[in-house]
Amino acid sequence: MNTATTSQKTTKQSQEMTLRVLLIIGLCHLLNDSLQAVVPAMFPILEKTMSLSYTQLGMIAFTLNIVSSLLQPAVGFYTDKKPIPYALPIGLTSTLIGVTLLAIAPTYSIILCAVLLMGFGSAIFHPEGSRVAFMAGGQRRGLAQSIYQVGGNSGQALAPLITALILVPFGQKGALSFTPIAFLAVMLLLYIANWYAHKLVEFKPKTKAVQTHNKALTKKVSIALSIVLFIIFARSWYISCMTNFYSFYLIEQYGFPIKTAQLFLFAFLAAGAIGTFFGGPFADRFGRKNIILYSFILSAPLTILLPFVSSTIAFILLLIIGFIIMTSFSVTVIFAQELFPGKVGTMAGLTVGFAFGMGAVGSVALGAIADVMGIITMIKIVSFLPILGIIAIILPSDDLLKKWYA
């Protein structure tokens, strides 16, 4: 009887949301991604000091993101079978070394080595961080994933402020000021890793049961995952364009100084972070598929209009677009995880890693287009990408997805 009572207590605890852990892992995600954001934030500085082309800047972003995108699914796949709680602080240590090297790098090749280390750290952090959010979320997975992801997107949103307040006045070496941030993240992740190691005891039986059930997955599930990845492709290329190149567009189109351009970009990314947070609770209430679909239906007309308006209207549109398009960010991760129950790390690594990878490819491709056709033309072409996300209309409904695993 005592054993049954203990089992029921354990089950109840595993279903409850652990807000403390979610807030800490969300903060660590913010710290991790703010360090990653130092790289694109440094682009205007590197373009001037090292005379780099748009293609070379795109290659830096490619190196950072492609390493992360290739390794994330592999890390997630391995840790689904054999979780490694202390991989989290190890990954942030790699990022700490990378950001330090980035600050003192004298050549283009050493910058590539620095971002390689940062990409490796990000690859380890993201699937394991998502697993922590999944375990701490209980039955409120949409909200839990939003708390975790909004940390990351808030960190990315800090990039323009980093440029305006730190990198413009202090230059490349200003990145050294982020080493204490990286060290703080490592310390916090040691605490999370200890919680993670104890929490695994509750999740092992459930994981084994689900893995057995996964053998019955149908072809429809694979098709649904392909659609999710295509949607991520469309969103990632658009976000990559805005993050890496929109500031150059503002400088050329409106004659803005670097600081003003970065503040516009901050508005877009900050609105996106807010959208990321609300996306999860909206999905818990209105359905995963609906939030994914409407994030593209509502944002597409606005992205197409954006390059043709005055700077004042552009600022307003950036706020609206950022909020709407990023409501789907955490939801696509949850949708993929529910398509393949028991493969939390693999799906987090695949979806977020795919987003990084597509952003990496997009950085190089869009940089090359900007070099050939001009930054203004490239921005106008990319504005049509969100239309592709309307393919979400053929995703299975939430109710149908539940029936597949009933």
Side-chain angles (χ1 to χ4, degrees):
M1 185 173 181
N2 289 336
T3 303
T5 303
T6 302
S7 177
Q8 288 177 357
K9 184 178 180 181
T10 300
T11 301
K12 183 179 180 181
Q13 288 177 340
S14 68
Q15 292 176 347
E16 292 177 350
M17 187 174 70
T18 310
L19 185 60
R20 181 187 71 259
V21 172
L22 285 172
L23 291 176
I24 294 174
I25 194 65
L27 175 61
C28 289
H29 199 184
L30 184 152
L31 298 176
N32 177 81
D33 281 26
S34 65
L35 294 170
Q36 304 291 322
V38 170
V39 178
M42 198 177 284
F43 280 1
I45 308 301
L46 296 176
E47 191 249 351
K48 287 184 177 295
T49 58
M50 292 189 175
S51 300
L52 301 182
S53 67
Y54 289 132
T55 303
Q56 287 176 308
L57 294 174
M59 185 58 68
I60 294 173
F62 176 83
T63 302
L64 173 68
N65 292 335
I66 200 66
V67 172
S68 180
S69 68
L70 291 177
L71 289 180
Q72 277 194 52
V75 170
F77 180 78
Y78 180 82
T79 54
D80 275 336
K81 294 183 176 181
K82 191 175 182 181
I84 311 175
Y86 288 91
L88 283 165
I90 291 172
L92 250 295
T93 301
S94 177
T95 299
L96 168 59
I97 297 170
V99 77
T100 304
L101 184 59
L102 179 66
I104 61 176
T107 64
Y108 178 65
S109 58
I110 294 180
I111 287 174
L112 291 178
C113 291
V115 299
L116 191 72
L117 286 169
M118 295 175 73
F120 178 75
S122 182
I124 295 175
F125 176 83
H126 282 98
E128 286 299 270
S130 184
R131 188 193 309 280
V132 169
F134 185 91
M135 291 191 296
Q139 297 299 306
R140 304 180 69 183
R141 292 175 187 166
L143 176 59
Q145 195 64 222
S146 282
I147 293 173
Y148 169 66
Q149 296 294 352
V150 78
N153 288 340
S154 296
Q156 293 172 17
L158 292 175
L161 293 185
I162 290 170
T163 301
L165 301 178
I166 298 175
L167 298 180
V168 169
F170 299 105
Q172 184 179 341
K173 290 185 178 179
L176 282 174
S177 61
F178 293 95
T179 54
I181 294 176
F183 183 76
L184 173 62
V186 171
M187 294 298 101
L188 288 172
L189 286 174
L190 286 172
Y191 170 81
I192 289 293
N194 186 55
W195 176 88
Y196 180 177
H198 286 89
K199 193 71 173 177
L200 281 174
V201 177
E202 298 175 19
F203 276 79
K204 280 182 179 178
K206 185 177 180 181
T207 300
K208 289 179 180 179
V210 172
Q211 285 176 340
T212 302
H213 187 76
N214 268 355
K215 295 178 181 178
L217 287 173
T218 65
K219 184 179 179 181
K220 292 180 180 179
V221 176
S222 298
I223 293 173
L225 179 61
S226 298
I227 295 170
V228 170
L229 294 179
F230 182 79
I231 288 166
I232 292 172
F233 153 77
R235 187 184 62 215
S236 296
W237 270 51
Y238 185 77
I239 299 300
S240 175
C241 172
M242 300 297 286
T243 302
N244 295 317
F245 299 110
Y246 191 67
S247 59
F248 295 107
Y249 169 83
L250 291 169
I251 292 168
E252 184 171 332
Q253 176 73 357
Y254 302 115
F256 286 167
I258 292 177
K259 283 189 176 182
T260 303
Q262 293 299 314
L263 290 175
F264 268 63
L265 184 56
F266 171 73
F268 171 78
L269 294 174
I274 296 171
T276 298
F277 174 78
F278 282 101
F282 285 168
D284 285 340
R285 182 176 177 84
F286 302 110
R288 320 281 197 236
K289 174 182 175 177
N290 291 334
I291 297 303
I292 294 172
L293 176 60
Y294 284 105
S295 73
F296 289 95
I297 288 179
L298 297 177
S299 64
L302 302 180
T303 61
I304 294 170
L305 180 63
L306 182 63
F308 302 98
V309 298
S310 67
S311 59
T312 302
I313 300 299
F315 185 84
I316 296 171
L317 288 179
L318 285 171
L319 292 172
I320 299 172
I321 292 169
F323 179 87
I324 295 175
I325 201 168
M326 292 302 288
T327 54
S328 66
F329 190 89
S330 61
V331 185
T332 50
V333 178
I334 288 293
F335 197 94
Q337 289 174 335
E338 293 183 348
L339 277 172
F340 289 85
K343 297 189 179 295
V344 177
T346 304
M347 288 301 105
L350 184 60
T351 52
V352 179
F354 189 72
F356 274 104
M358 286 299 96
V361 174
S363 296
V364 177
L366 297 174
I369 293 172
D371 280 333
V372 174
M373 304 179 67
I375 194 77
I376 293 176
T377 301
M378 185 269 282
I379 292 293
K380 289 179 179 178
I381 293 172
V382 172
S383 69
F384 287 89
L385 277 174
I387 292 176
L388 300 177
I390 297 176
I391 194 175
I393 197 170
I394 61 177
L395 281 173
S397 67
D398 292 46
D399 289 339
L400 180 58
L401 191 56
K402 290 177 182 177
K403 289 180 181 178
W404 286 354
Y405 296 100

